């Protein structure tokens, strides 16, 4: 698939999280292979910071790949990523920034874990990190630009009974580590995941109202994709069960392979414009998310409260 948002033979840069494995890995390889002028900056952790650029370059034939090491559970690390990207843009060592693919996400087995900033880990990584990235980089995107944040249809209960439907609350509550025996359960950990993915849709709607013309924002739903290692934080029995069932689950009509989902994510980021800014991309086409996910009051409250949590003014443009 040809790169669409930019002009042919023009170098451009995309920033991507969650490119190390699964859907994101396939999407990164697809984008690099399809567009030799694309420069990809991947945010990675641990050994992946050193090895991922070379692996992506070898798989795609495109050597315009670099990595920035960061833990998205740390707001300081997120700010450091932005500082490094903007410094490279200002120095002219990196082509203009056109897009962000925010694919990184986690699912924990409780809501009791806190980040170094004191926030509940699932909400911190899946919502706050994305909020801070787009806020700090919003004025650096070159039109036609595109921001794609990975969501999930579990927000509407599609993962039941394994992943409970989202249960929204005020942002201060969602960002606070849970206490008590219920908070320590895997059920609440998985509910925190589906709730964070509802928060992603709210974030995208609020962002779409603030971005300048020519820069679009989308929430991408890959559907059920067995074998993506999302349950890596679960116990050994649960992990083993997911691995054993993955080949069978892939055969279900509403499931798909990681490679296919990765191709769809790549198309959402670099293919023809998939829909109006703010749209929910259900696999390969724009669709409707749950009725609950269309709530301007919650969307604006999320925007305002996240600004407070990360120490930014809420009333400035994105």
């Amino acid at each position: 698939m040809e790169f669409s948002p930019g002009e042919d033979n023009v170098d451009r840069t995309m920033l991507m999280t969650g490119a190390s494995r699964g859907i994101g890995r396939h999407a990164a390889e697809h984008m690099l292979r399809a567009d030799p002028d694309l420069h990809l900056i991947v945010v990675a952790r641990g050994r992946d910071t050193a090895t991922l650029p070379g692996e992506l370059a070898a798989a795609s034939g495109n050597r315009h790949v670099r990595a920035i090491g960061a833990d998205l559970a740390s707001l300081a690390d997120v700010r450091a990523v932005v500082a490094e990207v903007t410094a490279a843009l200002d120095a002219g060592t990196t082509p203009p920034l056109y897009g962000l693919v925010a694919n990184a996400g986690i699912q924990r087995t409780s809501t009791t874990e806190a980040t170094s900033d004191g926030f509940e880990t699932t909400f911190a990584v899946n919502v706050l990190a994305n909020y801070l990235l787009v806020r700090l980089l919003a004025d650096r995107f070159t039109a036609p630009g595109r921001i794609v944040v990975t969501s999930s249809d579990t927000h509407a209960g599609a993962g039941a009974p394994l992943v409970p439907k989202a249960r929204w609350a005020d942002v201060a509550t969602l960002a606070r580590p849970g206490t008590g025996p219920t908070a320590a359960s895997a059920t609440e950990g998985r509910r925190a995941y589906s709730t964070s993915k509802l928060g992603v849709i709210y974030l995208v709607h609020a962002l779409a109202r603030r971005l300048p013309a020519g820069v679009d924002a989308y929430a991408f739903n890959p559907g059920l994709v067995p074998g993506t290692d999302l349950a890596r934080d679960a116990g050994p029995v649960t992990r083993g069960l997911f691995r054993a069932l993955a080949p069978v689950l892939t055969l279900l009509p509403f499931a798909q392979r990681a490679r296919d989902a990765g191709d769809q994510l790549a198309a959402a980021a670099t293919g023809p414009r998939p829909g109006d800014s703010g749209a929910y991309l259900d696999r390969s086409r724009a669709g409707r998310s749950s009725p609950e996910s269309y709530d301007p009051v919650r969307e604006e409250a999320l925007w305002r409260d996240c600004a407070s949590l990360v120490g930014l003014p809420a009333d400035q443009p994105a």
Side-chain angles (χ1 to χ4, degrees), residues 224-277:
L224 176 62
V225 185
T228 58
D229 204 26
L230 184 62
R232 58 185 175 274
D233 187 54
V237 174
T238 300
R239 292 199 306 272
L241 181 62
F242 271 97
R243 281 195 297 268
L245 291 177
V248 177
L249 292 174
T250 305
L251 300 176
L252 296 173
F254 49 84
Q256 61 177 340
R257 300 178 305 165
R259 179 175 298 278
D260 296 329
D263 289 349
Q264 293 163 3
L265 177 57
T270 62
R273 191 170 187 253
D276 293 337
S277 185

Side-chain angles (χ1 to χ4, degrees), residues 5 12 89 95-99 137-146 213-215:
R12 61 209 131 228
L89 292 171
L97 182 66
Y98 115 87
L137 287 170
D139 64 348
R140 306 309 296 257
F141 292 108
T142 301
R146 201 172 290 177
V215 181

Side-chain angles (χ1 to χ4, degrees), residues 129-144:
N130 290 326
Y131 178 86
L132 188 56
L133 274 175
V134 298
R135 282 295 308 270
L136 297 180
L137 287 170
D139 64 348
R140 306 309 296 257
F141 292 108
T142 301

